[in-house]
Amino acid sequence: MADEFIKGFGALMVGGLGWMTIAGWYRTPSFEGAQLIGEVTVEEPTLFDSIALALMDVFFWFAIFGALTFWVLIPLLEELREYLDERSA
């Protein structure tokens, strides 16, 4: 169970820090306003801006689904497999 916890924690940290870095670049117009959750400040995005904005969403969902997969889904499937093995024996 410890390895699933650390894998989920790693996914949460990598996704969260990646999202926070890109959101800090593109969603923080000033330090007095909304930070990290403001509107995207790029008026005409270049190719690299578009890639970064797409990666921001990928990092966010990787953090959410990565942590849920290793903390909830995999242990649930292991418990289900053990239950079915005990039931069939």
Side-chain angles (χ1 to χ4, degrees), residues 28-47:
T28 304
S30 69
F31 289 110
E32 288 105 29
Q35 296 181 7
L36 300 179
I37 57 170
E39 294 295 322
V40 175
T41 58
V42 178
E43 294 173 2
E44 292 184 29
T46 63
L47 175 65

Side-chain angles (χ1 to χ4, degrees), residues 55-72:
L55 270 176
M56 184 171 49
D57 291 335
V58 168
F59 278 130
F60 177 78
W61 290 113
F62 175 71
I64 300 296
F65 288 129
L68 286 177
T69 297
F70 286 107
W71 290 346
V72 176

